[in-house]
């Protein structure tokens, strides 16, 4: 199913003609529950064209959550004038949980749902009303284009105001850095969700602003979802590829095993880009080896730093300086402030691409900015070379996550977490560092169960049985010992760990919909296990480093 630029313009203008009579506004925006689709995009572009904000909501809040807590919160914050769901039957339970008024429901597929709804197709019928052009002409840079919700890793999600100016200025910045798009329209095969700034602002934006083609990838970076992504990459060769680190880990494995896939993937590729977390160097090195094998050169890999509040790009690495952990220098037009914070350097940003604040949340808006109106990212950085600041920065963790041992020694959680994931790859999904006011560092480990099953040569094993297997525990023991041997002191030595049999829960706020771990929530919800790490004598489930 395809749509051209001319068809998209005609559709959005007809949608606008039908939206005008509904009285939608920033006070009554459009709440979009579904994932990426052509209908989603047309409704979003149409609304933005006439100055009506849209609020794409994570589908996980409707389809994964069971208490619908974050969905109810989003509805309360927004007071939407319209709710859109691609497949109404799939979202029926969630909508019923939040739908206590006469808000109009629009759907592309009614299915067997018993909810009253308006067919999306009815919005693209009729003639184009000339009044829409008057509405378009009233749109300015300060007009709200979107409300994008934060991931909720430190509390309930906040509705970040994204203005038209933020989105447009960010695309000019990106175009000045990704110079190849100035002469070659980008071709994307992309799964990244539009309820996040990476997929919805960066990737949709770079496509439209530069006249490119966006192929919606209905896969995702999971062992099962990656199969669909691979099939899609066999159909279409991207010239720029965006993903999160987990996606690259799975992709590299597939590229190494499938010569046809690798040939197709690298055929037109000009650059790759990752964000959302740090990419392990061993994955990066394997991708470089593959690109040399299939193209005769290394394909540039870039990264950077941004947030929902920065629309999204704030810093970009250069091709020359890009390496694991490097986030680069400020984007053109972004001013960076460096603040000493303990033994770290905190960064804050200012520019036209920074949000004016959080919708209907003056208290959190005030907390987010300092006295000079710089947005406080909460991230720390280190110079790549203190004697040559123009080379840029490395990421040095989240300021709020770091803690002190009872000896007064600071622990850099972000740096140590990345080291653990690197050491234990591919056996772990994620880790949570423990040790606040304790004598030593511990870790709660979310294992990669499918990789652990490979160690014992069995599948469909219960997590408790799998993680108590001698071979699995021995593999973790050996790597924990290795990490301990490499440590330079108590701030980098992990003494004990526990392998978690239960995955993080979205309802308990332990994980965001994009897979980011909420350290505080995990430590709170699994407090008994944290106590087990520090109990004497230790329980059977604790793995202890040698010479503890």
């Amino acid at each position: 199913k395809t749509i051209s630029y001319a068809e998209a313009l005609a559709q959005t203008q007809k949608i606008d003609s039908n939206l005008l009579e509904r009285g939608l506004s920033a006070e009554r925006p459009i709440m979009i529950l579904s994932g990426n689709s052509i209908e989603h995009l047309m409704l979003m572009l149409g609304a933005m064209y006439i100055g009506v904000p849209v609020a794409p909501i994570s589908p996980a809040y409707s389809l994964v959550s069971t208490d619908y807590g974050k969905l109810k919160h989003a509805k309360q914050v927004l007071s939407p004038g319209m709710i859109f769901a691609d497949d109404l039957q799939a979202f029926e339970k969630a909508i019923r949980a939040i739908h206590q008024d006469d808000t109009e429901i629009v759907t592309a597929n009614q299915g067997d749902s018993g909810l009253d709804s308006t067919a999306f197709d009815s919005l693209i019928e009729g003639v184009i009303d000339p009044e829409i052009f008057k509405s378009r002409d009233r749109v300015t840079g300060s007009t709200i284009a979107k409300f994008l919700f934060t991931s909720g890793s430190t509390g309930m999600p906040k509705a970040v105001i994204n203005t038209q100016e933020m989105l447009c200025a960010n695309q000019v910045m990106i175009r000045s850095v990704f110079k190849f798009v100035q002469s070659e329209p980008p071709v994307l095969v992309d799964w990244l969700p539009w309820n996040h700034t990476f997929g919805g602002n960066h990737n949709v934006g770079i496509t439209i602003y530069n006249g490119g083609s966006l192929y919606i990838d209905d896969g995702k970076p999971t062992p099962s979802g990656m199969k669909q992504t691979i099939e899609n990459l066999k159909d279409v060769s991207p010239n720029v590829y965006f993903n999160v680190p987990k996606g690259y880990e799975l992709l590299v494995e597939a590229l190494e095993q499938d010569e046809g896939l690798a040939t197709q993937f690298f055929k037109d590729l000009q650059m790759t880009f990752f964000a959302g977390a740090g990419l392990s160097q061993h994955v990066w090195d394997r991708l470089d080896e593959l690109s040399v094998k299939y193209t005769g050169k290394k394909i540039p890999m870039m990264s950077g730093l941004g947030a929902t509040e920065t629309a999204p790009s704030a810093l970009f690495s250069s091709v020359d300086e890009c390496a694991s952990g490097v986030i680069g220098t400020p984007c053109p037009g972004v001013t960076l402030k460096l603040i000493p914070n303990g033994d770290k350097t905190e960064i804050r940003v200012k520019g036209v691409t920074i949000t004016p604040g959080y919708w209907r949340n003056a208290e959190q808006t005030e907390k987010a900015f300092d006295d000079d109106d710089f947005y406080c990212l909460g991230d720390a950085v280190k110079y790549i070379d203190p004697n040559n600041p123009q080379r840029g920065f490395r990421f040095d963790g989240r300021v709020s996550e770091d803690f002190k041992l009872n000896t007064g020694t600071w622990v850099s959680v972000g740096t140590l977490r990345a080291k653990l994931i690197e050491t234990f790859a591919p056996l772990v999904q994620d880790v949570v560092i423990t040790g606040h006011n304790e004598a030593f560092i511990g870790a709660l480990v979310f294992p990669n169960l499918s990789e652990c099953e490979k160690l014992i040569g069995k599948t469909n094993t219960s997590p408790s049985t799998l993680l108590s297997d001698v071979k699995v525990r021995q593999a973790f023991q050996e790597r924990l010992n290795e990490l301990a041997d490499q440590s330079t002191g108590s701030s980098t030595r992990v003494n004990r760990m526990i392998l978690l049999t239960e995955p993080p829960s979205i309802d308990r706020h332990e994980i965001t919909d994009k897979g980011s771990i909420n350290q505080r929530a995990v430590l709170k919800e699994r407090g008994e296990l944290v106590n087990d790490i520090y109990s004497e004598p230790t329980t059977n489930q604790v793995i202890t480093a040698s010479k503890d």
Side-chain angles (χ1 to χ4, degrees), residues 340-374:
N341 190 325
D343 63 347
K344 287 183 175 288
T345 300
E346 179 187 346
I347 57 170
R348 300 173 183 178
V349 291
K350 181 189 282 188
V352 296
T353 55
I354 310 303
T355 182
Y358 303 110
W359 186 244
R360 295 173 175 168
N361 197 333
E363 180 182 356
Q364 289 298 325
T365 297
E366 185 177 359
K367 288 180 179 179
F369 295 88
D370 67 14
D371 292 339
D372 297 320
D373 293 327
F374 278 79

Side-chain angles (χ1 to χ4, degrees), residues 103-298:
T103 305
E104 182 180 15
I105 300 169
V106 175
T107 183
N109 180 14
Q110 171 77 27
D112 293 329
S113 169
L115 291 168
D116 291 333
S117 65
T118 300
F120 173 83
D121 285 348
S122 69
L123 298 183
I124 56 176
E125 294 175 349
V127 298
I128 296 173
D129 187 340
E131 289 296 316
I132 68 170
F133 302 111
K134 296 180 182 179
S135 296
R136 179 198 62 188
D137 291 342
R138 288 192 289 269
V139 173
T140 67
S142 61
T143 301
I144 298 174
K146 294 181 181 180
F147 299 112
L148 286 182
F149 280 83
T150 60
S151 59
S153 59
T154 57
M156 275 295 181
K158 301 182 288 289
V160 180
I161 298 170
N162 278 213
T163 65
Q164 298 274 356
E165 181 179 44
M166 288 170 64
L167 303 187
C168 294
N170 207 272
Q171 286 304 320
V172 176
M173 293 176 181
I174 293 169
R175 182 178 168 88
S176 72
V177 176
F178 298 170
K179 294 186 182 298
F180 87 91
V181 301
Q182 297 177 19
S183 57
E184 182 178 343
V187 177
L188 280 66
V189 180
D190 194 58
W191 70 272
L192 285 151
W194 296 342
N195 57 283
H196 287 302
T197 188
F198 188 4
N201 285 353
H202 188 285
N203 295 357
V204 171
I206 198 175
T207 304
I208 294 175
Y209 186 69
N210 297 286
S213 301
L214 173 60
Y215 293 85
I216 298 174
D217 175 12
D218 48 349
K220 60 178 56 179
T222 63
S224 58
M226 200 64 192
K227 294 177 182 178
Q228 185 59 52
T229 291
I230 289 168
E231 290 304 311
N232 294 336
L233 288 171
K234 288 180 177 178
D235 284 341
V236 181
S237 297
N239 60 9
V240 57
Y241 190 70
F242 301 100
N243 214 325
V244 295
K246 186 60 183 177
Y248 280 107
E249 290 176 24
L250 296 169
L251 178 61
V252 163
E253 291 181 12
L255 292 171
E256 290 173 338
Q257 297 170 12
D258 190 332
E259 185 173 343
L261 170 66
T263 300
Q264 183 80 346
F265 179 72
F266 286 107
K267 181 165 67 92
D268 300 320
L269 198 62
Q270 299 290 320
M271 66 167 282
T272 56
F273 184 95
F274 72 91
L279 180 65
S280 298
Q281 190 63 51
H282 74 95
V283 175
W284 196 318
D285 292 342
R286 289 161 65 192
L287 193 61
D288 280 347
E289 291 172 5
L290 285 162
S291 68
V292 170
K293 178 180 178 181
Y294 288 96
T295 71
K297 62 182 179 181
K298 288 184 180 180

Side-chain angles (χ1 to χ4, degrees), residues 430-491:
D430 217 322
V431 297
V432 172
I433 306 297
T434 70
H436 180 73
N437 289 333
E438 298 286 355
F440 59 85
I441 300 170
L444 299 176
V445 178
F446 291 103
N448 184 328
L449 298 180
S450 61
E451 291 294 335
C452 290
E453 284 182 329
K454 293 178 183 178
L455 295 175
I456 65 173
K458 297 179 181 179
T459 58
N460 300 319
T461 308
S462 70
S464 58
T465 300
L466 175 64
L467 298 178
S468 61
D469 188 277
V470 173
K471 291 182 180 179
V472 173
R473 290 182 65 83
Q474 182 62 33
F476 277 93
Q477 180 73 67
E478 291 174 356
R479 298 188 189 203
L480 183 59
N481 292 345
E482 175 188 337
L483 186 68
D485 291 341
Q486 296 172 357
S487 67
T488 56
S490 61
S491 66

Side-chain angles (χ1 to χ4, degrees), residues 394-543:
R394 293 182 182 275
F395 183 69
D396 195 28
R398 298 281 296 172
V399 174
S400 61
E401 291 179 348
D402 293 351
F403 60 82
K404 285 184 179 180
L405 298 172
N406 62 11
T407 59
T409 302
W410 275 102
V411 176
S412 178
V413 170
T415 304
L416 184 58
R417 174 179 166 272
K419 180 65 175 177
L420 259 77
I421 293 174
E422 176 77 20
T423 302
F424 286 86
L427 299 179
V428 301
Q429 294 276 20
D430 217 322
V431 297
V432 172
I433 306 297
T434 70
H436 180 73
N437 289 333
E438 298 286 355
F440 59 85
I441 300 170
L444 299 176
V445 178
F446 291 103
N448 184 328
L449 298 180
S450 61
E451 291 294 335
C452 290
E453 284 182 329
K454 293 178 183 178
L455 295 175
I456 65 173
K458 297 179 181 179
T459 58
N460 300 319
T461 308
S462 70
S464 58
T465 300
L466 175 64
L467 298 178
S468 61
D469 188 277
V470 173
K471 291 182 180 179
V472 173
R473 290 182 65 83
Q474 182 62 33
F476 277 93
Q477 180 73 67
E478 291 174 356
R479 298 188 189 203
L480 183 59
N481 292 345
E482 175 188 337
L483 186 68
D485 291 341
Q486 296 172 357
S487 67
T488 56
S490 61
S491 66
T492 59
R493 189 180 199 275
V494 179
N495 285 25
R496 300 176 185 176
M497 62 171 45
I498 289 178
L499 307 182
L500 302 175
T501 57
E502 292 188 10
S505 166
I506 195 169
D507 283 337
R508 297 200 301 268
H509 313 303
E510 291 182 324
I511 190 170
T512 69
D513 63 300
K514 63 179 179 181
S516 301
I517 293 293
N518 181 340
Q519 300 260 344
R520 292 179 187 175
V522 172
L523 293 173
K524 176 184 176 183
E525 294 293 331
R526 308 190 190 225
E528 291 185 4
L529 293 176
V530 176
N531 292 337
D532 284 347
I533 288 178
Y534 297 96
S535 65
E536 299 290 353
T538 59
T539 62
N540 292 334
Q541 62 184 331
V542 177
I543 300 175

